[in-house]
Structure formats: C-alpha cells, structure tokens
C-alpha cells in the first residue's frame, strides 16, 4: 500500500527519528534467499528476505533514521517497511526497543552450604564432601547477601548442598526477606521438610524446586539412596498442604531411569507441581559411580532412507513452517551462580574451575561487576565463550549454528563425550527445510 511520509512518520511513532541499530544480542543466519534473525535473549526469531534485510543493514551503515529509510524507499514499499520496523521493535531486535539492562534482568543462585544429608551419585558439586572447605559463617554469609541484595536481582535462589541443613537457615532466610523485596526460591531435596519448616517456607519463599530423580523407591534409590523417595514425597505433600508456593519437581535423566520419564511427568502433574527433566552431566562424583549410573544411550543419527522418510514426514506436518527453536543460553548474561565459598560461575550447571569468574567476597561493587560486565575479563568467562556455538571452531561458520542447541552446559558435556557433532549432517538436512520458500 502506498503511504506518504507523514503517514510513515505516524506509523513509526517514537522511532521515526531514531537511528537504525540492530542490538548486540541479535544474530543473523543467512541463507540463499532469506535470513533468520535471532534474539539471543528471548529465543524469538523471524525470517526476512535478504533483499529487505540488505536495505535495513545498508541504512544502518549509512547512519539513517527510520524516517530517512522510509523516505529512501519507493512510496509503494513504505507501508511494508513500517510493518517490518514494528516487528523488529516489538520483539526487541533493535536498539531502543527494550529497557536498559539492569539488575532486574538477572537471577542469582546462591549455594548457602556445601553440606548435604544425601550422597546422590550424580551430584555435580559432590555435596557433603567439603571439597572447597567449610561453609561461610552466619556473618560471612550475611556479608555476601548484603552485596547481592544491594544489587537487587530479579530473583534469588537458595541452593546447596542442602540449604535446610544449616542450623541458621531460618535466620539467613529472614535476613534476606527483611531486606529484599523480590521473589525467593528454595532448591531442596525435600527430605528435611516438616510441617513447621513448611509453614516457614510458605511465608518466605515464592517457589520451591525439589529434586526427586525417580517415580518410586526402586528408581529413586539408584541415584539418591535407600529411603529417599518416601522421605522426599512426604516433604512434597506437606509443602502442598501447608504452602501456596509454586512447586517444581526435577528428575536427572540417566540410562537407569529414562524409560520412566513419562511416568515421572504424570506423577508430578498429579501432585499439582511442574515437572522438569534435567540432563546428566559429567562430574567427579559421577566418575566414581560409573558402574551404577550411566548416560542415556545417544540416538543414532538418521541417514539414507530413514532420513529421507523423516524429512518427508517433517514437511507433511509443516514443522518447517513454524519458528525454529534457537540457542539462547542465559548463563553469564542473565543468570549467575555463587557457591558456598563465594566463587562466581556462569550458572549452576557450569561450576568447574575453568569457568570461575571471581569471588564475591573480594569484589567491592558487585553491581558494577555484573552490570558493567567486568566478569568478561576473567579467564572463566573466556573459557565459557569457547563453548558458544558461534565460537566453536567447527560451528562458527555454519549458518545453522544457533539451531543445534540451547545450552552451553549441554554443548560442553557433549563435547567432552565426543558426541557434539554426531548429528550435524542430519540437522543440516532438517534445518535446510526452514530456508525453503
């Protein structure tokens, strides 16, 4: 539809006189005729023809405003260009479309103890073994909390070890609750919950995440030890009776329990909770239990007639007409982990020494450390970047590199196990469908 410049200005609204700038968090996967534009923060993505994208990128390089771009294109194309701008703005793909990055974008997980009453065979932090020394004292922990509370994150999650094992657990939680107005989450194995502690949890926590790892005593005991299932289920039922907290229950999937995943989801929903299936990660403790707990057997990549049949079914179901899932890991961006001695990591799944980005006890201004991204100068962050799909040597030049995974920790694990590239050819054939007209 043909529109004049005044109509274009009205359509562009407050963006009319702003410079055209794609955000740093936006990446482009370019095919022969069109490009997938990806918001790395939200996973939103949209296709745009290369011809139209070239117009926008050219205008960006020439320092055009949006109204100057509207003036430069033919009047018959202005309405369409304005519609594209609205899409870019509504989905936070261009500068000025989203509020400035501040603490309310960030979630912090704090391990308040390294101790635990269980010895789960897969535990990625070897909880209960005091590998990194003793827990911080009450006053030391409060000092750490002062820095986190001053930062004022979107959410604070308390984890461990088992956080409820600390004798000062209620004192610590009360200290946070009196000073922090945001939501608190408790991550627990559920076995220490009583009616009294549940009532305290209900008054102070917005959500609770319980680790279970099975659907009955037999499946749970393989990983968490005898008697754990009943103790955990008792705690879960008490939580449902005594609190209105949002409740999630998680299961780490291994070869020994993977056939029960559907049963687990059904059981958890029946309990009125949200089910979460987590991947098994290589760890020091897991290596000591490799005779009793194993990684799920990887699916074999499709090829030949099997792949051709799958692609045909994929097209018949029009799966390639839906927006593809894209990489949007928020570790070291909007999510950070602080362990029980104050060490800072990208997320709870990346707590190896290679990812250590600093220690909060030695950081005077934690807000500046996060918001001004001082952590990016650390060796830990530089090591973290090595596992980003656009940094991995074999992946960085692939125009499908944001479609193969969603999590740095999972990519790191697959790289360790030598399985990261097993499905490359299969994935390329599937993803090529998205670029078909």
């Amino acid at each position: 539809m043909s529109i004049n410049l005044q109509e274009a200005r009205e359509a562009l609204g407050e963006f009319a006189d702003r410079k055209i700038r794609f955000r740093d968090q936006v990446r482009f996967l370019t095919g022969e005729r069109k490009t997938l534009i990806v918001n790395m923060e939200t996973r939103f993505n949209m296709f745009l023809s290369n011809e139209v994208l070239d117009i926008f990128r050219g205008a960006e390089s020439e320092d055009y405003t949006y109204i100057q771009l509207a003036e430069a294109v033919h009047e018959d194309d202005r309405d369409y260009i304005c519609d594209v701008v609205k899409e870019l703005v509504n989905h936070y793909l261009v500068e000025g479309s989203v509020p400035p990055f501040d603490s309310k974008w960030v979630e912090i997980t704090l391990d308040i103890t390294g101790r635990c009453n269980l010895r789960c065979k897969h535990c990625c932090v070897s909880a209960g073994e005091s590998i990194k020394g003793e827990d911080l004292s009450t006053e030391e922990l409060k000092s750490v909390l002062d820095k986190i509370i001053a930062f004022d994150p979107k959410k604070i999650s308390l984890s461990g070890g088992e956080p409820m094992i600390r004798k000062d657990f209620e004192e610590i939680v009360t200290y946070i609750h009196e000073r922090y107005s945001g939501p608190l989450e408790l991550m627990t194995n559920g076995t220490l919950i009583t009616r009294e502690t549940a009532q305290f949890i209900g008054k102070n926590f917005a959500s609770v995440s319980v680790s279970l790892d099975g659907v009955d005593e037999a499946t749970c005991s393989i990983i968490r030890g005898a008697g754990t299932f009943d103790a955990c289920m008792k705690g879960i039922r008490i939580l449902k009776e005594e609190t209105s907290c949002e409740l999630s229950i998680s299961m780490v999937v291994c070869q020994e329990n993977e056939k029960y995943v559907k049963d687990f989801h059904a059981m958890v929903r029946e309990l009125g909770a949200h089910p979460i299936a987590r991947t098994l990660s290589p760890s020091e403790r897991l290596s000591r239990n490799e005779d009793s707990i194993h990684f799920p057997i990887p699916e074999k990549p499709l090829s030949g007639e099997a792949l051709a049949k799958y692609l045909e079914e994929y097209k018949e179901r029009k799966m390639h007409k839906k927006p593809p899932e894209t990489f949007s890991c928020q570790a070291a961006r909007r999510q950070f982990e602080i362990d029980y001695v104050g060490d800072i990591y990208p997320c709870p799944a990346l707590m190896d020494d290679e990812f250590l980005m600093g220690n909060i006890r030695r950081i005077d201004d934690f807000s500046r450390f996060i918001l001004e991204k001082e952590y990016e100068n650390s060796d830990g962050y530089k090591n973290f970047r090595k596992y980003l799909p656009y940094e991995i040597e074999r992946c960085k030049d692939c125009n499908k590199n944001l479609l193969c995974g969603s999590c740095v920790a999972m990519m790191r694990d697959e790289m360790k196990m030598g399985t990261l590239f097993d499905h490359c050819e299969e994935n390329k054939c599937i993803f090529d469908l998205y670029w078909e007209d």
Side-chain angles (χ1 to χ4, degrees), residues 127-185:
E129 297 181 37
S130 300
I131 288 176
K132 300 182 77 169
E134 297 302 314
D135 292 349
L136 299 180
S137 67
T138 303
E139 293 308 312
E140 288 171 333
L141 185 53
K142 286 180 179 179
S143 178
V144 167
L145 285 165
D146 286 342
K147 295 180 180 181
I148 296 173
I149 292 168
F151 173 61
D152 195 25
K154 178 181 179 180
K155 182 174 77 171
I156 298 175
S157 299
L158 299 186
S159 187
E162 170 50 54
M164 293 182 66
I165 207 170
R166 282 190 71 120
K167 292 180 180 179
D168 59 0
F169 173 72
E170 292 193 6
E171 179 182 351
I172 292 299
V173 173
T174 301
Y175 185 84
I176 301 171
H177 195 68
E178 290 176 347
R179 292 162 176 79
Y180 173 67
S181 60
L184 265 179
E185 178 183 33

Side-chain angles (χ1 to χ4, degrees), residues 163-221:
M164 293 182 66
I165 207 170
R166 282 190 71 120
K167 292 180 180 179
D168 59 0
F169 173 72
E170 292 193 6
E171 179 182 351
I172 292 299
V173 173
T174 301
Y175 185 84
I176 301 171
H177 195 68
E178 290 176 347
R179 292 162 176 79
Y180 173 67
S181 60
L184 265 179
E185 178 183 33
L186 175 64
M187 306 182 80
T188 174
N189 60 42
T191 62
L192 302 181
I193 293 173
T194 63
R195 294 204 176 274
E196 183 180 3
T197 57
Q199 290 167 6
F200 175 81
I201 290 169
K203 292 176 183 177
N204 291 279
F205 289 90
S207 58
V208 181
S209 179
V210 181
S211 303
L212 185 56
D213 295 335
V215 295
D216 53 25
E217 170 62 21
T219 52
C220 188
S221 62

Side-chain angles (χ1 to χ4, degrees), residues 20-34:
I20 298 172
R21 294 283 186 275
F22 283 96
R23 298 178 63 218
D24 291 340
Q25 292 80 7
V26 171
R27 292 193 172 269
F28 305 89
L29 301 182
T30 301
E32 185 176 340
R33 292 184 295 276
K34 60 184 180 179

Side-chain angles (χ1 to χ4, degrees), residues 169-350:
F169 173 72
E170 292 193 6
E171 179 182 351
I172 292 299
V173 173
T174 301
Y175 185 84
I176 301 171
H177 195 68
E178 290 176 347
R179 292 162 176 79
Y180 173 67
S181 60
L184 265 179
E185 178 183 33
L186 175 64
M187 306 182 80
T188 174
N189 60 42
T191 62
L192 302 181
I193 293 173
T194 63
R195 294 204 176 274
E196 183 180 3
T197 57
Q199 290 167 6
F200 175 81
I201 290 169
K203 292 176 183 177
N204 291 279
F205 289 90
S207 58
V208 181
S209 179
V210 181
S211 303
L212 185 56
D213 295 335
V215 295
D216 53 25
E217 170 62 21
T219 52
C220 188
S221 62
I222 294 172
I223 298 173
R224 294 186 165 264
T228 305
F229 182 80
D230 288 341
C232 184
M233 290 296 287
K234 179 181 178 181
I236 289 170
R237 291 192 175 98
I238 291 174
L239 280 174
K240 292 298 294 183
E241 292 168 5
E242 299 289 343
T243 82
S244 59
C245 295
E246 180 181 331
L247 180 63
S248 60
I249 303 173
S250 66
M251 171 184 185
V252 172
V253 181
C254 60
Q255 199 174 131
E256 285 67 31
N257 65 16
E258 63 178 333
K259 63 182 178 182
Y260 301 108
V261 170
K262 288 184 179 179
D263 294 336
F264 174 80
H265 279 243
M267 179 189 73
V268 171
R269 290 195 181 98
E270 190 173 331
L271 288 167
H274 175 64
I276 300 175
R278 304 187 191 277
T279 58
L280 183 64
S281 295
S283 68
E284 195 278 332
R285 183 178 286 179
L286 180 62
S287 68
R288 286 184 264 141
N289 292 286
E290 58 187 10
D291 291 336
S292 57
I293 180 171
H294 306 84
F295 287 95
I297 298 173
E299 292 184 7
K300 293 183 178 179
L302 297 174
S303 61
E305 292 183 7
L307 177 57
K309 181 180 179 182
Y310 180 82
L311 293 174
E312 192 61 36
E313 292 174 352
Y314 205 86
K315 292 178 72 173
E316 287 178 1
R317 292 158 56 200
K318 300 187 184 302
M319 297 297 291
H320 62 303
K321 298 297 183 182
K322 301 176 182 178
E325 292 189 8
T326 52
F327 179 87
S328 63
C329 181
Q330 298 305 308
R333 186 197 303 263
R334 295 169 68 174
Q335 182 181 29
F336 295 86
E337 158 75 28
I338 302 174
D339 76 5
Y340 65 96
V341 297
D343 287 340
I344 304 170
Y345 299 93
C347 79
L350 294 169

Side-chain angles (χ1 to χ4, degrees), residues 389 391-398 421-422 424-425 428:
E391 297 289 346
I392 296 172
E393 188 62 32
R394 186 168 162 180
C395 303
K396 63 183 182 180
D397 294 325
C398 175
F421 308 114
D422 286 1
C424 274
E425 294 308 313
K428 286 179 181 177

Side-chain angles (χ1 to χ4, degrees), residues 330-369:
Q330 298 305 308
R333 186 197 303 263
R334 295 169 68 174
Q335 182 181 29
F336 295 86
E337 158 75 28
I338 302 174
D339 76 5
Y340 65 96
V341 297
D343 287 340
I344 304 170
Y345 299 93
C347 79
L350 294 169
M351 295 179 66
D352 301 301
D353 289 343
E354 67 173 311
F355 302 117
L356 175 62
M357 300 189 299
N359 187 290
I360 192 170
R361 300 179 69 197
R362 294 190 286 273
I363 296 170
D364 293 329
D365 191 335
F366 182 63
S367 295
R368 188 178 68 219
F369 179 79

Side-chain angles (χ1 to χ4, degrees), residues 52-86:
V52 173
L53 181 59
D54 286 345
I55 291 172
F56 274 86
R57 298 310 296 268
E60 181 182 30
S61 66
E62 293 293 329
D63 220 24
Y64 275 24
T65 62
Y66 289 96
I67 192 65
Q68 286 175 321
L69 171 59
E71 184 178 7
V73 301
H74 192 277
E75 61 182 16
D76 290 344
D77 297 324
R78 283 178 189 153
D79 188 50
Y80 172 70
I81 290 295
C82 289
D83 285 343
V84 172
V85 172
K86 289 176 185 177

